Amino acid sequence: MRITGIRLDRLRLQLDPPFRAAWDPVPRRHFDATIVRVETDEGVVGIGSGDTMDGFEAFEHLFLGTDPLDIIRHVRAIETMNFHSGRYWPLEVALWDIIGKVAGLPVATLFGNVYKRVRAYASSGELKSPQERVESALAVRERGFGAMKIRIDRNGIDEGIETVRLVRDALGDGFEIMVDLNQAWRMAGDVEPALDFAAVRSTVERLRDLGVFWVEEPLPYQDMAGLRTLRAETGMRIAAGEMLPSTSDLLAYLEHDALDVYQMDVVLAVGMHRARTIAEVAQLRHRMFTPHSWTNGIGVLANLHVAAGVGGGPYFEFPYDPPGWTPERRDFMLTEPVEVTPDGYVEVPQIPGIGAVLDEREVERWKV
């Protein structure tokens, strides 16, 4: 089998009303997605998505004519490209999709097959008033979720903690709450300083007293010592790593025992194969792997296959914050959006590959 072509379809879904992402000071009036199709001489086509793939055309020749099943060679090639340019892990997703289709198995089976479904937590994306967030949490529980992540603005800590307190009071101790401080990385041009260590420690202690399951990205990535100290001084689970760009970064975090929960996104950080390796090392050290999955439905599926394959958990991130962010918006390019079951799980599609089925009409409709 040989790769005969790699096709990129760039899509832009218009958002009305806009999505007000907590980590982005600019409301989002459109949602971009790049679909990667790897074509072969045997008619098998792999599908991937998750990052922009900007500049990939300069590297396409590195893959044309090669065997798509030579996955380690391709992972190493992508790593060399990432050093010089962007993040091209959606290509690896498409290659694993081919491998699964050739093997006749879901990729999660190839990655270990620990779970066929994983408990989901509803990952909110917007900053809302305390009462609005309580109402959304009640709706989330009614939808089947047993856990939810709430985002807190670093410029509104007291209001954020009050939001968590009200959600805890409304839903009780049986509902898990995670909190994201969004301090590890920034959108381009956001140069406002992060909260200092003392303010973060105080915040984490207050959240601990409300029974929060983990606090995510409380400090910038470069403050590894601060993350270790925060864990030791507060006793709280600390989660991070969604955008760490290399395996060496993640290995350093593991070596210094900086985190309780490793969250590398397989389409934004280190790819599927490397994420699997780091996840297994983390689990051998009695740490958790729960990947970030805030891209689109294809990115959600790629992360799901890795998490289910290696036994990640105890929860899987499910981007969900209606009306601003819904499965229909997130997965607009698929024939059916990825959903949660009535009892709050995300199921691995039991079809060969990663299970992404494109709605070609929607692809054509939103192509730019």
Side-chain angles (χ1 to χ4, degrees):
M1 180 182 290
R2 290 289 180 265
I3 295 173
T4 56
I6 302 174
R7 182 153 54 98
L8 305 182
D9 289 324
R10 302 188 186 279
L11 315 180
R12 172 165 288 183
L13 177 71
Q14 298 300 320
L15 299 179
D16 183 18
F19 173 57
R20 302 180 184 277
W23 57 90
D24 191 345
V26 180
R28 299 186 176 190
R29 300 186 181 279
H30 59 262
F31 176 45
D32 291 345
T34 299
I35 308 299
V36 181
R37 304 189 211 220
V38 177
E39 301 166 337
T40 69
D41 58 358
E42 295 186 15
V44 182
V45 178
I47 304 295
S49 189
D51 207 350
T52 65
M53 298 292 289
D54 288 347
F56 173 74
E57 291 80 0
F59 304 105
E60 180 181 9
H61 67 281
L62 298 175
F63 302 92
L64 295 178
T66 66
D67 188 337
L69 306 186
D70 292 345
I71 192 64
I72 300 302
R73 180 268 177 198
H74 299 319
V75 167
R76 292 172 179 172
I78 293 169
E79 287 174 330
T80 65
M81 293 152 50
N82 290 352
F83 177 82
H84 294 280
S85 191
R87 294 171 299 198
Y88 299 124
W89 295 117
L91 174 61
E92 187 200 1
V93 175
L95 293 167
W96 277 110
D97 191 38
I98 290 174
I99 293 170
K101 288 172 177 174
V102 170
L105 295 169
V107 172
T109 302
L110 302 175
F111 273 40
N113 205 32
V114 176
Y115 299 133
K116 291 191 171 52
R117 62 181 200 154
V118 185
R119 284 188 299 175
Y121 72 86
S123 182
S124 70
E126 297 184 321
L127 297 172
K128 295 184 177 180
S129 71
Q131 191 54 48
E132 287 175 324
R133 185 52 70 199
V134 169
E135 292 170 0
S136 74
L138 291 168
V140 157
R141 184 173 65 179
E142 182 67 22
R143 180 65 182 79
F145 293 95
M148 180 182 196
K149 183 162 73 184
I150 298 172
R151 298 177 188 271
I152 293 182
D153 185 353
R154 62 181 180 269
N155 297 313
I157 294 296
D158 288 340
E159 181 179 32
I161 291 175
E162 176 65 6
T163 298
V164 174
R165 185 187 68 78
L166 291 174
V167 170
R168 172 62 72 216
D169 289 345
L171 277 76
D173 293 337
F175 187 84
E176 293 286 10
I177 301 172
M178 299 81 161
V179 168
D180 194 340
L181 295 182
N182 282 123
Q183 290 221 120
W185 56 275
R186 297 293 175 81
M187 296 296 296
D190 182 358
V191 296
E192 291 299 313
L195 293 175
D196 64 24
F197 179 83
V200 169
R201 180 177 58 192
S202 173
T203 300
V204 171
E205 288 171 343
R206 295 167 71 185
L207 293 169
R208 176 197 61 201
D209 295 342
L210 291 171
V212 166
F213 189 73
W214 77 53
V215 177
E216 185 170 330
E217 298 198 327
L219 293 168
Y221 279 145
Q222 62 267 27
D223 193 2
M224 190 185 304
L227 290 167
R228 292 182 62 196
T229 304
L230 195 62
R231 292 178 62 228
E233 293 186 354
T234 67
M236 269 295 299
R237 298 180 186 90
I238 302 299
E242 63 189 43
M243 298 283 276
L244 283 172
S246 71
T247 52
S248 60
D249 290 311
L250 288 159
L251 287 170
Y253 269 65
L254 282 163
E255 182 64 27
H256 290 88
D257 198 18
L259 302 173
D260 298 279
V261 186
Y262 286 80
Q263 297 181 299
M264 49 280 187
D265 188 313
V266 307
V267 297
L268 295 176
V270 293
M272 296 178 70
H273 175 73
R274 298 301 192 201
R276 173 192 181 181
T277 300
I278 297 297
E280 290 182 333
V281 174
Q283 290 174 321
L284 286 171
R285 295 189 175 186
H286 200 54
R287 302 292 178 260
M288 302 176 194
F289 169 59
T290 301
H292 172 271
S293 65
W294 263 90
T295 53
N296 58 51
I298 300 171
V300 169
L301 287 170
N303 279 287
L304 176 63
H305 279 278
V306 179
V310 302
Y315 294 97
F316 179 78
E317 181 172 40
F318 191 86
Y320 184 80
D321 200 5
W325 204 243
T326 62
E328 290 75 20
R329 278 189 163 189
R330 184 194 65 205
D331 305 348
F332 70 95
M333 73 293 295
L334 300 181
T335 55
E336 295 289 340
V338 180
E339 291 280 10
V340 294
T341 63
D343 58 348
Y345 284 76
V346 187
E347 296 182 336
V348 176
Q350 293 302 299
I351 60 177
I354 65 168
V357 181
L358 295 175
D359 185 330
E360 297 294 351
R361 293 172 301 179
E362 290 298 296
V363 171
E364 288 300 318
R365 178 184 179 189
W366 300 109
K367 191 180 295 186
V368 294

